[in-house]
Amino acid sequence: MAKADQKKTRLIIRTIVLLLLVSAVVYTIASKDKVRVLAVGDKAPDFELVDLEGNKQRLSDYKGEGVFLNFWGTWCGPCKKEMPYMENQHIAFEEKGVNILAVNIAESNLKVETFIEQYGLTFPIVIDKDKSVKEAYNIVPLPTTFLINKDGRIEKIITREMSEKEIISLMESIQP
Amino acid sequence: MSKIKCQCGHDNPFGTVLCERCGRPQTEEAKESKLVDMRYEGAARRSQTYKRSIIDKIWNFFSSVKIGISIIVAVLATAAIGTIFPQKMYVAASTEAEFAAYYERLYGLAGTIYYKLGFHDMYNSWWFITLVGMLGTSIIIASVDRVIPLYKSLKKQRTKRHPSFMKKQRIYGEGPSEDPEAALIKAEEKLKELRYNVKIENGALLAEKNRFSRWGPYVNHLGLIIFLFGILLRGIPGFYVDETMWIREGETRSIPGAEGYYLESKQFIMENYTKEEADEVFGDALERVGMIAKNYQTDVALYKTPEGGLPGSDEMDFVKDYSIIVNKPLKFDGYNVFQMDFRLDELKSMTFQLTEKATESSLGEFTVDLTNPEREYELDSGARVILSDYYPDYDGVKDGEPISKSPIPNNPAFIFKMVTQAKPEGEMSFVAIKQTLETEVNDYKVKFVSAETRDISGLTVRKDKTLYLLLLGGIIFMIGVSQGAYWNHRRIWIQKGSNGELLVAGHTNKNWFSLKKELDQVKDVANLPSYEDRQDKESILQDKEVDKV
């Protein structure tokens, strides 16, 4: 009987050791991609930036509502294309508890103001002057959009241009 | 069948070569061979059980030294292939298509194959990491499987071994003795003098020294495992940071990889040696190349957001001023910020003059800050210039609209609205470098006067909490190497035979010469029978010649 027990223990120990080693390898492979430090399901890092009207915009102020967080630049072609769609959907979703917040990466006020005027944008736009929010969100390509649900968790990360249809369905997905 | 019963009555585990208790050979191979393989004391490797479950099979696979060596060869081969062409991270490209084009352009077909097979990102590829993981697994399992049985059998080894065990040792001798008891006592004395641990039981003597040398390979493997574990830790956030940042003079930027810390660049300094100060040392070289760098330096101020501060908020506490010089990094909170690179003379601001075309007379000058331009410039004459739009990196016109291809002022272009007394509605003018476009003919123009530039510092941000672990792994590795290399585990067995003769046998894991030298000393003192080294043909011949003489 003692022998059978011993065998069982050995099997369990070996299984545990092998599982540990396999998970170490899997973890290493998974974590090599530094860009993916923020993942779906993570809490979206809070930040505080001032918009062009001088109001402080804190991500945590939107708790309980969905946030469509868009990182963009005036020089980036795809960003320009999706801006009018975002403006349309901002108006459509404002009352439904989904907010658009657009973060410009370290450009001048003049550039951003001119852009807002040109496109007639009414949603809040903030400028990340020292690139700290860009750093916190690991933004590499522009545009990058984070869909943040009412609990402040990331529902989806989009790292390309979106069509208006896509924007609608994405905004619906974070409607509280 | 799962146990092997020895003639002495002891039950040995499956796979045993020499009986754990008396040392009698247990396998046919061991019985037939002249010498016995002492590598793991003839103990069963732990993996050599009945092949039962899949887990046992995997375990056996990794326990094999052959497999281990194959994995090492595979890791070495792939690691070597990775050095043939530059790795991805050293290639100035960002998209996959650019990478493919780069390898094709420089290395032709070989480059394309290299890229297609994923060798351009060898050390991050899943299969390379898997190979290294398999190496780690093999090291752990193969070591555990051998060190435990070895430890057990050395720990419980008997003083008295069966004559068949003695006879199959490489060093063996037998012969009559006048007084075996006295011989054993004399041998004990001499062996103790030679710093052996000696045990006598039932007319048998076992002398042993430097057993710890046998653990050398396993200590060495432990070091390797610690080393690999340290590298594994680098993947966990907070343990390892290796980032680069570009910062312009006058900018404040968050430090990548160091959340909550900000760096302000006050100035970048590059100094060269002058002929006067370094004539003696660099005189010739200065004449030849014209310029020798003396110093690259970035003067910075470090800031930190207060406890609970958020990214983006302008609340920052000043930490310190520092001059980062090559090899003198800025140090804070486990981070090192190194001076690595620079770019000189990026446009910072441009000064223009508003002039009346007809008379060439000036209405005043104004300066546009290219990173933070103002909307409106009031001139001394009362005229105003309004900056309607600005394109930092002008790249032609697309769909009737000027395009800027980046936010960096490499090729600035402006749309100015000139409001003068003569033209109160304003005249529009598009001004780029060496180019002015007007929608209708204007009376006034904006003329470029001068430009100011600034330098950019390339800094590297590093943090490595695994460094001490890697060092520890390295030290343990070296301890293991010297433990196994500079000491030898030596054993000498002497026992009385059934007819009053003496049997002598010896074993060591390496350096048989020294063992024999020591045994010779003991032999002379204790009148032991002469022995032979049955693997050293020369010594056998010599002995025979001596016999003849």
Side-chain angles (χ1 to χ4, degrees):
Chain A
M1 277 307 104
K3 236 174 67 186
D5 277 354
Q6 233 181 345
K7 254 183 199 157
K8 211 172 164 189
T9 325
R10 190 183 66 210
L11 186 68
I12 291 168
I13 289 174
R14 285 182 178 186
T15 313
I16 291 171
V17 170
L18 285 172
L19 278 178
L20 275 176
L21 289 165
V22 167
S23 47
V25 171
V26 169
Y27 181 83
T28 312
I29 293 171
S31 67
K32 77 181 158 108
D33 220 352
K34 276 192 202 154
V35 183
R36 304 244 176 274
V37 170
L38 270 187
V40 170
D42 287 352
K43 200 150 173 37
D46 198 7
F47 60 83
E48 178 186 289
L49 291 170
V50 182
D51 69 18
L52 288 174
E53 273 137 36
N55 305 317
K56 272 189 182 174
Q57 295 283 349
R58 255 184 201 233
L59 183 66
S60 48
D61 291 345
Y62 293 97
K63 206 158 173 133
E65 297 184 4
V67 179
F68 181 99
L69 183 65
N70 178 264
F71 292 86
W72 67 287
T74 62
W75 52 274
C76 134
C79 307
K80 284 189 206 170
K81 273 197 201 156
E82 60 188 17
M83 280 291 174
Y85 308 149
M86 281 161 56
E87 176 60 25
N88 295 342
Q89 297 320 314
H90 163 64
I91 294 163
F93 277 88
E94 204 173 14
E95 299 299 306
K96 297 182 191 166
V98 182
N99 306 278
I100 292 185
L101 190 55
V103 181
N104 175 282
I105 310 287
E107 285 187 88
S108 59
N109 284 10
L110 180 129
K111 253 343 277 191
V112 178
E113 275 165 15
T114 312
F115 188 90
I116 292 174
E117 225 168 275
Q118 191 183 346
Y119 285 82
L121 305 177
T122 57
F123 51 82
I125 292 181
V126 292
I127 304 177
D128 183 19
K129 287 276 183 198
D130 51 24
K131 298 192 182 174
S132 53
V133 179
K134 172 186 181 260
E135 221 37 79
Y137 279 81
N138 279 296
I139 304 298
V140 179
L142 289 185
T144 292
T145 306
F146 283 78
L147 282 307
I148 300 164
N149 67 18
K150 62 179 192 319
D151 306 318
R153 296 202 174 270
I154 299 167
E155 285 270 313
K156 208 157 188 191
I157 305 169
I158 316 276
T159 52
R160 53 176 172 77
E161 186 191 330
M162 295 166 288
S163 67
E164 185 150 20
K165 249 192 187 163
E166 245 179 303
I167 293 178
I168 295 172
S169 80
L170 287 171
M171 289 183 77
E172 275 166 354
S173 75
I174 50 167
Q175 201 172 323
Chain B
M1 225 328 254
S2 68
K3 289 275 173 193
I4 300 169
K5 200 172 180 83
C6 176
Q7 280 166 283
C8 72
H10 183 72
D11 276 338
N12 291 297
F14 179 80
T16 302
V17 181
L18 301 176
C19 173
E20 291 175 334
R21 185 144 158 259
C22 67
R24 274 194 189 92
Q26 300 297 313
T27 61
E28 284 308 310
E29 206 187 332
K31 279 176 195 161
E32 275 163 25
S33 71
K34 205 170 138 209
L35 291 181
V36 86
D37 182 2
M38 290 285 286
R39 203 176 308 156
Y40 304 110
E41 295 294 297
R45 236 165 66 201
R46 286 170 80 79
S47 59
Q48 285 179 331
T49 46
Y50 271 163
K51 289 185 182 172
R52 281 265 167 84
S53 62
I54 179 91
I55 292 292
D56 288 333
K57 280 185 184 164
I58 296 171
W59 193 272
N60 280 8
F61 175 81
F62 283 112
S63 176
S64 153
V65 168
K66 261 188 215 162
I67 295 291
I69 289 173
S70 316
I71 295 172
I72 292 173
V73 169
V75 170
L76 287 179
T78 43
I81 291 169
T83 64
I84 294 177
F85 298 141
Q87 287 286 294
K88 185 182 168 183
M89 63 179 125
Y90 302 113
V91 173
S94 50
T95 65
E96 288 302 312
E98 279 172 33
F99 281 119
Y102 174 88
Y103 286 99
E104 194 183 350
R105 182 164 52 84
L106 269 95
Y107 309 109
L109 181 65
T112 306
I113 295 170
Y114 198 77
Y115 172 79
K116 287 256 164 74
L117 290 176
F119 292 169
H120 68 300
D121 195 15
M122 176 75 76
Y123 310 114
N124 290 317
S125 63
W126 65 267
W127 45 272
F128 186 78
I129 296 172
T130 307
L131 264 182
V132 174
M134 282 169 74
L135 177 63
T137 312
S138 161
I139 290 172
I140 292 173
I141 292 180
S143 301
V144 166
D145 261 13
R146 285 168 176 78
V147 73
I148 294 174
L150 180 63
Y151 175 81
K152 280 188 180 162
S153 48
L154 283 176
K155 175 130 188 155
K156 64 184 176 194
Q157 66 179 319
R158 296 259 176 136
T159 310
K160 184 161 186 138
R161 295 296 186 107
H162 191 264
S164 66
F165 172 87
M166 307 270 289
K167 275 178 190 151
K168 288 195 182 208
Q169 294 299 321
R170 181 171 151 181
I171 294 210
Y172 178 71
E174 60 175 70
S177 170
E178 285 160 22
D179 187 355
E181 296 288 347
L184 281 184
I185 289 170
K186 275 185 190 159
E188 181 188 15
E189 204 177 303
K190 183 66 191 170
L191 283 163
K192 276 190 174 155
E193 198 186 304
L194 293 169
R195 284 191 279 169
Y196 278 83
N197 294 318
V198 188
K199 271 197 292 183
I200 298 188
E201 260 173 44
N202 298 332
L205 174 151
L206 166 62
E208 186 179 16
K209 75 160 40 159
N210 298 339
R211 188 195 286 180
F212 76 96
S213 154
R214 294 293 281 274
W215 315 133
Y218 309 105
V219 172
N220 169 283
H221 283 174
L222 177 72
L224 267 180
I225 291 297
I226 291 174
F227 197 92
L228 284 176
F229 180 69
I231 291 176
L232 188 82
L233 280 185
R234 288 188 164 190
I236 296 172
F239 274 94
Y240 183 71
V241 171
D242 185 3
E243 301 271 1
T244 48
M245 71 185 288
W246 289 93
I247 185 164
R248 293 164 173 80
E249 287 172 317
E251 273 183 345
T252 301
R253 285 281 175 263
S254 80
I255 302 175
E259 207 180 311
Y261 284 100
Y262 296 82
L263 211 56
E264 180 192 352
S265 168
K266 298 200 162 158
Q267 63 170 337
F268 174 76
I269 300 168
M270 180 184 163
E271 290 169 304
N272 290 312
Y273 282 106
T274 60
K275 187 90 177 140
E276 295 77 51
E277 71 181 324
D279 198 26
E280 205 174 308
V281 187
F282 293 126
D284 293 343
L286 273 172
E287 245 158 61
R288 209 171 55 241
V289 296
M291 218 162 71
I292 293 174
K294 180 183 171 191
N295 185 24
Y296 300 109
Q297 176 179 337
T298 306
D299 291 342
V300 295
L302 179 70
Y303 300 92
K304 188 181 195 294
T305 48
E307 201 71 25
L310 292 177
S313 92
D314 40 17
E315 274 175 60
M316 283 187 219
D317 298 337
F318 172 78
V319 181
K320 62 176 167 185
D321 280 322
Y322 192 77
S323 296
I324 304 175
I325 302 172
V326 175
N327 290 338
K328 284 195 184 126
L330 164 69
K331 291 183 185 177
F332 63 93
D333 195 17
Y335 292 91
N336 287 305
V337 181
F338 292 91
Q339 174 70 48
M340 287 298 273
D341 205 348
F342 64 93
R343 274 187 225 143
L344 296 178
D345 301 334
E346 184 184 272
L347 283 173
K348 178 179 180 241
S349 64
M350 291 172 98
T351 303
F352 298 96
Q353 192 180 57
L354 182 66
T355 50
E356 191 182 355
K357 280 182 180 173
T359 60
E360 287 276 323
S361 62
S362 166
L363 277 76
E365 290 187 357
F366 63 98
T367 301
V368 180
D369 180 340
L370 296 176
T371 34
N372 198 12
E374 276 169 52
R375 178 62 78 188
E376 208 174 301
Y377 299 89
E378 295 261 2
L379 305 186
D380 297 340
S381 61
R384 288 182 301 147
V385 175
I386 295 162
L387 180 53
S388 299
D389 209 345
Y390 158 55
Y391 307 94
D393 199 359
Y394 175 59
D395 190 32
V397 177
K398 202 177 147 196
D399 303 329
E401 202 187 338
I403 297 289
S404 177
K405 68 176 176 213
S406 80
I408 299 156
N410 292 324
N411 183 25
F414 310 86
I415 297 176
F416 289 123
K417 187 176 183 182
M418 302 165 287
V419 183
T420 50
Q421 256 178 340
K423 296 269 176 150
E425 290 92 63
E427 292 176 324
M428 300 299 286
S429 172
F430 177 84
V431 179
I433 289 173
K434 289 185 180 165
Q435 188 186 8
T436 303
L437 298 174
E438 295 170 354
T439 41
E440 51 201 71
V441 179
N442 292 337
D443 293 344
Y444 295 90
K445 69 168 180 184
V446 168
K447 200 175 105 189
F448 170 73
V449 177
S450 63
E452 253 187 277
T453 61
R454 59 177 172 176
D455 304 328
I456 316 172
S457 306
L459 306 174
T460 295
V461 184
R462 288 237 174 86
K463 175 180 172 178
D464 194 352
K465 277 194 179 170
T466 67
L467 215 53
Y468 290 104
L469 201 61
L470 298 187
L471 183 71
L472 178 74
I475 290 172
I476 292 178
F477 181 98
M478 284 317 294
I479 290 174
V481 169
S482 34
Q483 192 177 335
Y486 294 109
W487 283 273
N488 335 114
H489 178 217
R490 294 176 194 159
R491 273 177 296 173
I492 291 169
W493 295 271
I494 306 171
Q495 61 173 263
K496 278 196 294 188
S498 42
N499 303 320
E501 80 274 30
L502 272 178
L503 309 181
V504 182
H507 182 263
T508 179
N509 56 341
K510 57 168 72 82
N511 193 359
W512 292 79
F513 179 74
S514 297
L515 175 72
K516 283 187 273 181
K517 245 171 66 181
E518 285 179 342
L519 190 53
D520 285 341
Q521 292 179 45
V522 181
K523 194 180 98 178
D524 292 346
V525 172
N527 277 324
L528 299 178
S530 61
Y531 62 90
E532 61 177 19
D533 179 344
R534 290 177 299 177
Q535 242 172 37
D536 187 350
K537 301 253 164 58
E538 251 174 64
S539 99
I540 296 172
L541 284 177
Q542 266 174 13
D543 286 350
K544 280 185 182 156
E545 272 160 31
V546 171
D547 287 347
K548 274 183 210 159
V549 170

